[in-house]
């Protein structure tokens, strides 16, 4: 029996540091053995931190890899969902409209 992948809402609600398995493995839709093997070979797409015998990862690295980093659009915080989420779920968060930014000019004296 396989464990279902995490939803986007579950991934966005994770604490700052999460265990490699089951959290990171489920977020990437990987089996436990695959998750640990990729980590041992340094081929996991996010940095693995060793705490004694435990292996953990920063949630911000997981968000960055999945394209779930918050972006400010001037009015409200929105999330841009990348195509690499891999859990078959439709986008839960849509990016906001583009924001025009004025170019800063340096005055010369």
């Amino acid at each position: 029996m396989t464990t279902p992948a995490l939803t986007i809402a579950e991934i966005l609600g994770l604490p700052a540091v999460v265990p490699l398995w089951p959290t990171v493995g489920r977020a990437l839709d990987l089996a436990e053995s695959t998750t640990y093997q990729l980590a041992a070979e340094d081929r996991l797409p996010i940095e693995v931190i060793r705490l004694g015998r435990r292996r953990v990862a920063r949630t911000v690295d997981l968000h960055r890899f999945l394209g779930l980093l918050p972006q400010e659009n001037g009015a409200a915080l929105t999330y841009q969902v990348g195509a690499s989420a891999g859990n078959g779920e439709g986008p839960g968060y849509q990016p906001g409209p583009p924001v025009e930014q004025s170019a800063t000019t340096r005055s010369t004296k």
Side-chain angles (χ1 to χ4, degrees), residues 20-54:
L20 198 58
W21 181 260
T23 309
V24 174
R26 285 186 57 209
L28 299 176
D29 201 17
L30 297 172
E32 180 177 5
S33 59
T34 305
T35 303
Y36 282 114
Q37 179 159 359
L38 290 174
E41 295 172 356
D42 200 24
R43 291 183 22 206
L44 205 60
I46 58 175
E47 180 184 356
V48 176
I49 302 166
R50 292 192 62 114
L51 297 175
R53 293 187 63 190
R54 293 182 55 205

Side-chain angles (χ1 to χ4, degrees), residues 4-87:
L6 293 176
T7 64
I8 293 173
E10 290 172 326
I11 294 170
L12 290 174
L14 293 173
V17 177
V18 292
L20 198 58
W21 181 260
T23 309
V24 174
R26 285 186 57 209
L28 299 176
D29 201 17
L30 297 172
E32 180 177 5
S33 59
T34 305
T35 303
Y36 282 114
Q37 179 159 359
L38 290 174
E41 295 172 356
D42 200 24
R43 291 183 22 206
L44 205 60
I46 58 175
E47 180 184 356
V48 176
I49 302 166
R50 292 192 62 114
L51 297 175
R53 293 187 63 190
R54 293 182 55 205
R55 294 179 187 173
V56 297
R58 293 182 303 229
T59 303
V60 70
D61 293 339
L62 184 61
H63 288 180
R64 184 175 293 119
F65 175 74
L66 295 174
L68 298 174
L69 286 179
Q71 299 179 353
E72 293 202 29
N73 66 0
L77 203 57
T78 59
Y79 289 87
Q80 181 173 355
V81 178
S84 63
N87 58 7

